[in-house]
Amino acid sequence: MDTTTPPPDYSLTMDQCWGLLGTEVVGRVALIVDSHPEIFPVNFVLERRTIVFRTSGGTKLWGAITGKPVAFEIDGYDANDESAWSVMARGEAGLIESQEEKDAADALLLEPWQPGEKAYYVRVAPKALTGRRFKVNRPDVWTTRLTDPRRNSFE
């Protein structure tokens, strides 16, 4: 007889994932470059249940137009309920070429953080969107790094 307790389900619903995506402005896009993964921070907006960011010519642009799968990830910590969370989107990226669609992203205040021209708009259309939230362990305030965000909740 199996008496073990199944682990709790910390999964987020799709709507919860979209809600968390909507609270952040910076995420990480993962691309396959020369047969290996590379991860880049990008600022982004949500537009029609897709993730949109701007870039200059280079690796992120190449990753968007090669048709290879991409992933996009954000995470965070909520000090109010002492929980951490993570959301990951997997799908395909494509170049936005329509000025109307670029204007729609700009209307959502998609403004690059890094200096320089970011003339290319990239849309990540998730085919899968998953997330999880979990309670964090209480930090040992004597040994936990001073920069650990959990400390504020418990001090």
Side-chain angles (χ1 to χ4, degrees):
M1 176 162 94
D2 183 9
T3 60
T4 59
T5 304
D9 182 11
Y10 300 117
S11 299
L12 298 172
T13 66
M14 189 171 288
D15 285 338
Q16 290 171 318
C17 289
W18 282 115
L20 287 168
L21 279 166
T23 67
E24 296 297 315
V25 295
V26 175
R28 288 164 293 285
V29 63
L31 309 166
I32 303 298
V33 179
D34 296 329
S35 301
H36 64 274
E38 295 214 14
I39 300 171
F40 302 91
V42 294
N43 61 300
F44 70 98
V45 295
L46 297 182
E47 205 265 323
R48 295 182 295 136
R49 291 252 171 161
T50 64
I51 300 155
V52 178
F53 64 90
R54 289 174 60 181
T55 188
S56 60
T59 305
K60 290 186 292 275
L61 178 61
W62 179 249
I65 63 175
T66 58
K68 295 179 182 171
V70 301
F72 184 86
E73 193 267 348
I74 64 168
D75 50 48
Y77 174 70
D78 185 342
N80 292 327
D81 69 1
E82 300 165 359
S83 67
W85 55 266
S86 177
V87 173
M88 179 157 34
R90 294 186 318 272
E92 296 177 358
L95 190 60
I96 296 175
E97 298 191 50
S98 153
Q99 189 59 49
E100 183 179 322
E101 291 182 69
K102 291 177 184 179
D103 292 344
D106 287 340
L108 297 169
L109 306 178
L110 178 59
E111 181 181 324
W113 284 15
Q114 185 179 27
E117 186 175 351
K118 308 287 185 208
Y120 300 100
Y121 291 63
V122 175
R123 181 184 309 280
V124 176
K127 290 186 174 182
L129 184 62
T130 59
R132 67 187 203 118
R133 179 186 301 270
F134 56 92
K135 286 286 196 187
V136 299
N137 287 328
R138 294 179 76 81
D140 179 341
V141 294
W142 298 105
T143 61
T144 303
R145 293 184 313 239
L146 293 176
T147 56
D148 188 320
R150 297 174 302 159
R151 289 181 64 101
N152 294 336
S153 304
F154 296 100
E155 290 185 320

